[in-house]
Amino acid sequence: MYSKKVVIRYTATNVDQPIICQLVKKHDLDFNILKAQILPRREGVIVVELSGSKENFDKGIRFLKEKGLTVEPVSKNVSQNNDKCVHCGACTAFCPTDALYLERQSMKVLFDAEKCNGCELCVLACPPRAMEVNIF
Ligand code: SF4
Ligand code: SF4
């Protein structure tokens, strides 16, 4: 079973269409809406976890793009605010993918966006709230 959180952005022209409904029926995917901000007749954003076979997931993402939606992994919206980070290392104990890691040479905690899966565990774990998820 493949599962991934994605951010789906609608435009004013497709925000009223039942595209998620079509997606899960057509491609046999389960979905769990985690966050949403939909403005009728304007743009909209939803964060959804899609689960199913990898093949169906890939087909589903293609379907969404063909419908004119923008789709990106949640991880693309995760960032480390270097003005706030005090390099305490707390987040490294929670990060399941080692996207946050201690660089021994500089003794700084660095963020590797390529490894991030968008789980957001670091957001709550970080005392000065240096890990940010900017979706809306
Ligand atoms: S928990 Fe926050 S402040 Fe501490 S290293 Fe991680 S991002 Fe920086
Ligand atoms: S969102 Fe999850 S995977 Fe990404 S850096 Fe934070 S804890 Fe690690």
Side-chain angles (χ1 to χ4, degrees), residues 95-97 99-100 111 116-120 122:
C95 181
T97 64
L100 286 159
F111 173 54
C116 176
N117 70 6
C119 69
E120 301 187 28
C122 56

Side-chain angles (χ1 to χ4, degrees), residues 6-11 14 19-20 44-48 61-73 76-77:
V6 293
V7 180
I8 302 172
R9 296 182 192 276
Y10 292 75
T11 64
N14 55 32
I19 297 174
I20 295 296
V45 182
I46 64 170
V47 180
V48 63
I61 297 300
R62 273 201 297 278
F63 167 78
L64 293 174
K65 290 180 177 174
E66 282 162 15
K67 289 284 182 185
L69 277 61
T70 304
V71 188
E72 61 190 11
K76 290 275 182 218
N77 299 269

Side-chain angles (χ1 to χ4, degrees), residues 10-135:
Y10 292 75
T11 64
T13 55
N14 55 32
V15 73
D16 294 332
Q17 296 176 24
I19 297 174
I20 295 296
C21 223
Q22 294 168 7
L23 166 77
V24 296
K25 277 189 191 164
K26 199 172 157 72
H27 296 293
D28 193 23
L29 293 168
D30 289 330
F31 75 104
N32 182 19
I33 294 180
L34 304 168
K35 296 176 190 168
Q37 187 177 81
I38 304 286
L39 302 172
R41 291 180 293 284
R42 290 172 62 193
E43 70 281 3
V45 182
I46 64 170
V47 180
V48 63
E49 183 163 21
L50 295 173
S51 308
S53 71
K54 177 71 166 71
E55 188 184 353
N56 284 354
F57 176 88
D58 290 342
K59 283 181 183 168
I61 297 300
R62 273 201 297 278
F63 167 78
L64 293 174
K65 290 180 177 174
E66 282 162 15
K67 289 284 182 185
L69 277 61
T70 304
V71 188
E72 61 190 11
V74 171
S75 55
K76 290 275 182 218
N77 299 269
V78 178
S79 60
Q80 181 185 28
N81 185 328
N82 286 313
D83 292 333
K84 289 185 182 174
C85 179
V86 294
H87 303 282
C88 66
C91 56
T92 60
F94 291 87
C95 181
T97 64
D98 293 333
L100 286 159
Y101 63 98
L102 180 69
E103 190 196 52
R104 297 271 167 205
Q105 207 173 358
S106 63
M107 289 305 282
K108 288 190 169 178
V109 172
L110 304 182
F111 173 54
D112 181 349
E114 292 301 314
K115 287 187 178 173
C116 176
N117 70 6
C119 69
E120 301 187 28
L121 291 175
C122 56
V123 175
L124 292 176
C126 175
R129 297 287 181 260
M131 292 308 296
E132 299 172 351
V133 183
N134 297 306
I135 290 172

